[in-house]
Amino acid sequence: MSTTKTTESGPDTPETTPVEPKSSSEEPEGSKASKEPAKVSVQNDPKEGEQVGVDSIVRIGRGKTVVAVRRLSYWYGQVIGVNDISLDIGQGVVGLLGPNGAGKSTLLKLMTGQLRPATGMVTVNNQRVWNSSKTFAELGFVPEQDAFYEEMTGRQFVTHLTRLQGFSADDATELAAEAIETVSLTEQADRRIREYSKGMRQRIKIAQALAHKPTVLFFDEPLSGTDPVGRRRIIDLIRELGDEGRTVFVSSHILHEVQAMTSDIVLINRGKVVADGNLFRIRELIDEHPHRIYVECDKSREFAALLTPFEDISEIQFSERGFFVSTDDPDACYGRIPRLSLEHGFKLQAMTSQDNNLSAIFRFLVP
Amino acid sequence: MMSTSEAPKIERPPRSLSSPTLGLRLLSLDFGRQIRARKTLTLVAIQLLPVVIAAVFVIWRDVDGMNLFRNTIEHVYIPLLLPLAALFFGGPTIVNEIEGRTITYLTLRPLSRATLFLAKLASSISVALVATLLPVLALFGVCMIGSGDPLGDSLPMLGAALGAVAVGAITYTAIFAFLGVLFSATLLLGIVYFVVVELVFAAIPIIELLSVKFHLRTIAGFTSSDRAGFLDRLILEEPLNFEWWFGVLIAGLMASFAIIVSTLVFRQRQFHV
């Protein structure tokens, strides 16, 4: 993650001055990134009288700024959906993380011109998005909603929308076939969409966003409803798109989904960016604090007794059906629990952590 | 992996992003989709019902074919089937896309909101024209069989009927699309509009000028004979009657107003789908 300061020269021409430029070879990927020092910016609410401006613009992704968001706000009546967000997004995959209702979808709708900003603006390739149709020639969007022209086949759907990107019938057919192939749906392409499974519908949505080969892509919860194989394919595809130098902005409320795609993240909550930076570093910071793991098995008390001798275990608290174990070394504890249950013949029914999810990150970042 | 500042090199075929090209393309694609839709077939079947009934009359009863044609146009097509067709196609022009949440796909294409709306409206009007003009032609054909008149004598009546139906299809579809854009709901509002303006207003002297039906009757050459006669006598010496071109002019103004306002509103619409 490269951290830059942005010199504001008007939202249409965002100029960036890199403070710590990083070559693409240093681009964090998977576990490699976790070993590299990375900067994490945690954004707290400005103090009274403090000016929020040029210095608070989040810079994420590599290369030039492709998507610029400036002081963007959006209100649903009295409720704020997006609250004064400024972002500079470069190339590569950037994850937008936030719990349900954090404002992710609203932000994406603003970035794709579905909604008109109450204040501020969004530019893609230096062109305002709202009511600027030409911007959409370079933009692909996978919406969250499960909406289609159900009577069409997958191929007709993608071809239809690709033709509306200005391509001739032959070219649109070819591009659609290519995109359908990319999402591994060729065999089912001539079936009607109403007959598709949830995962297939998700993939055909992705195909329509890819067919015209846009340079900027927005994915809103792209993995919802997909099976593990489909999920893996979509994750790989998103990573490939980022590696090709496209700007890919992916929203999700599930941490491990985003973690599999990128380590560059923007965390939002209640419509505000609460942190941006390297996901692995944020998790490391969390890991420095005790974790609470919930365990449920057939003989809770006996199993808990097995765990008490370990030094990292600081507390065990029993509940109605299981127990909570607090540990200072979550990685070791996560491995130990299933191993011990197997070795001693306990039936492990559940092992979950309230701390290993997005809520934990938010509890950590937003006290 | 690419270098940091390098823009992605993406090869794709040439394309035309001009508004007329994309607008016409949307029109043709949407027209094709609508014409094949089951609801269109249902509507055409409904529109053909008077033709079937007319055929029964012509075959088994001794009726004046041209009189039957005229009465069917005046009392069935213009006041009832024509608004029904427009309600079918005009209202859902945009509302169906919003309710089906497919509007997102359309608004993410590189065509302006105005072009998008106008292309969709033109498509709806085209389907409405096909669904209403063909049954009128079929009705004329059936009625001609039952008429002893030479074809040449009946053509002016056919021309007037087709003109009124065409103007009606355009105007009603534009009005229902306008209601759809304004309120994102069409059926109930469309019915309210129909009852208030096209049934109640159309029966009141002077006020009737606000209804489309009045002007369609003018174009078709029908007098205001279906109004409550006592109201006429209270207000006017005799019913209002105008030349056909006046009907075209007023209906055209109504359609233009509906199209312009709904396009302006649609340009600023936000979609919370």
Side-chain angles (χ1 to χ4, degrees), chain A residues 55-360:
Chain A
D55 290 335
S56 63
I57 293 172
V58 174
R59 175 74 174 87
I60 199 154
R62 63 176 190 267
K64 62 167 189 167
T65 296
V66 180
V67 181
V69 177
R70 289 293 177 276
R71 308 218 59 170
L72 191 67
S73 295
Y74 190 81
W75 294 80
Y76 293 99
Q78 297 294 310
V79 180
I80 194 152
V82 165
N83 187 359
D84 198 18
I85 286 182
S86 292
L87 277 173
D88 272 346
I89 301 165
Q91 292 161 281
V93 182
V94 173
L96 175 67
L97 271 165
N100 285 326
K104 299 186 300 294
S105 290
T106 304
L107 180 58
L108 280 179
K109 281 175 192 160
L110 288 161
M111 290 169 104
T112 54
Q114 304 293 297
L115 299 178
R116 184 180 57 229
T119 61
M121 67 171 71
V122 180
T123 63
V124 172
N125 292 324
N126 292 336
Q127 281 189 304
R128 275 190 196 222
V129 174
W130 174 253
N131 255 344
S132 165
S133 55
K134 298 300 173 221
T135 311
F136 300 119
E138 286 298 334
L139 199 147
F141 181 46
V142 180
E144 185 183 12
Q145 73 261 19
D146 186 49
F148 299 94
Y149 300 116
E150 300 278 346
E151 75 284 1
M152 288 186 182
T153 66
R155 192 185 303 281
Q156 285 170 342
F157 177 68
V158 180
T159 308
H160 178 88
L161 293 175
T162 309
R163 287 213 67 198
L164 294 177
Q165 282 286 352
F167 295 103
S168 68
D170 288 346
D171 288 339
T173 306
E174 204 170 306
L175 288 166
E178 201 179 313
I180 289 168
E181 174 73 38
T182 306
V183 296
S184 311
L185 214 56
T186 304
E187 282 181 25
Q188 294 86 12
D190 296 313
R191 278 170 59 186
R192 289 192 191 283
I193 293 176
R194 70 165 73 99
E195 297 165 9
Y196 277 11
S197 68
K198 188 87 198 302
M200 287 156 71
R201 293 164 80 88
Q202 196 66 17
R203 280 188 276 158
I204 207 71
K205 251 195 293 186
I206 295 174
Q208 65 78 27
L210 295 179
H212 59 289
K213 299 180 187 280
T215 52
V216 183
L217 281 142
F218 295 93
F219 290 77
D220 197 357
E221 304 279 356
L223 302 179
S224 65
T226 52
D227 57 49
V229 178
R231 190 173 289 243
R232 187 71 251 166
R233 281 187 189 144
I234 294 171
I235 288 170
D236 290 344
L237 172 66
I238 288 173
R239 288 178 65 144
E240 278 168 30
L241 292 167
D243 287 347
E244 286 170 12
R246 304 196 209 198
T247 298
V248 188
F249 200 59
V250 187
S251 92
S252 175
H253 65 281
I254 299 170
L255 180 61
H256 72 263
E257 284 184 359
V258 173
Q259 185 180 324
M261 296 172 202
T262 182
S263 56
D264 286 343
I265 58 161
V266 176
L267 279 164
I268 70 166
N269 194 27
R270 293 179 187 165
K272 277 187 89 75
V273 173
V274 291
D276 63 283
N278 185 284
L279 175 64
F280 300 100
R281 179 67 192 128
I282 293 174
R283 292 198 62 177
E284 275 174 18
L285 290 172
I286 291 170
D287 287 348
E288 288 165 12
H289 293 254
H291 265 227
R292 232 162 100 89
I293 302 169
Y294 175 69
V295 180
E296 207 177 288
C297 72
D298 55 343
K299 293 168 187 167
S300 294
R301 290 192 179 272
E302 287 90 330
F303 191 46
L306 278 177
L307 295 170
T308 49
F310 292 95
E311 277 183 13
D312 59 289
I313 305 296
S314 56
E315 188 187 7
I316 288 179
Q317 192 182 5
F318 288 95
S319 69
E320 197 179 330
R321 298 173 65 181
F323 61 92
F324 291 93
V325 53
S326 297
T327 172
D328 296 328
D329 188 354
D331 285 344
C333 199
Y334 281 127
R336 184 188 305 138
I337 292 171
R339 181 170 49 78
L340 286 177
S341 74
L342 203 66
E343 284 172 9
H344 294 269
F346 293 111
K347 281 186 186 164
L348 188 63
Q349 283 146 355
M351 184 179 78
T352 55
S353 171
Q354 293 175 328
D355 294 329
N356 195 29
N357 58 24
L358 206 50
S359 309

Side-chain angles (χ1 to χ4, degrees), chain B residues 94-166:
Chain B
I94 288 299
V95 174
N96 271 8
E97 301 279 359
I98 295 172
E99 286 178 350
R101 296 180 295 169
T102 45
I103 191 77
T104 308
Y105 298 115
L106 294 181
T107 52
L108 283 164
R109 306 296 123 185
L111 71 172
S112 68
R113 294 276 182 100
T115 311
L116 194 163
F117 176 73
L118 291 173
K120 290 277 298 175
L121 179 62
S123 155
S124 295
I125 287 174
S126 306
V127 184
L129 283 170
V130 171
T132 50
L133 290 177
L134 289 180
V136 169
L137 277 171
L139 178 73
F140 181 77
V142 167
C143 293
M144 271 302 295
I145 297 168
S147 161
D149 299 346
L151 177 65
D153 292 355
S154 309
L155 280 181
M157 190 189 290
L158 173 67
L162 287 176
V165 169

Side-chain angles (χ1 to χ4, degrees), chain A residues 31-52:
Chain A
S31 57
K32 179 190 164 194
S34 64
K35 289 164 191 152
E36 291 176 357
K39 284 194 166 49
V40 178
S41 134
V42 177
Q43 301 193 356
N44 296 316
D45 286 336
K47 293 182 179 69
E48 201 176 339
E50 186 182 340
Q51 192 180 351
V52 179

Side-chain angles (χ1 to χ4, degrees), chain B residues 2 8 43 50 64 74 90 112 118 122 153 159 161 172 200 202 242:
Chain B
M2 304 185 42
L43 185 89
D64 177 356
E74 184 177 6
S112 68
L118 291 173
D153 292 355
Y172 278 128
V200 178
F242 295 95

Side-chain angles (χ1 to χ4, degrees), chain B residues 86-87 89-93 117 121 125 167-183 185-186 189-190 193-194 197-198 210-213 215 250-259 262:
Chain B
L87 191 62
F89 297 110
T93 297
F117 176 73
L121 179 62
I125 287 174
V167 171
I170 294 167
T171 311
Y172 278 128
T173 307
I175 289 171
F176 288 128
F178 163 77
L179 292 173
V181 168
L182 247 58
F183 303 104
T186 52
L189 270 172
Y193 164 84
F194 178 73
V197 180
E198 299 300 325
L210 294 172
S211 73
V212 177
K213 187 167 79 172
H215 303 291
I250 301 299
L253 286 174
M254 286 174 164
S256 303
F257 173 80
I259 292 169
S262 40

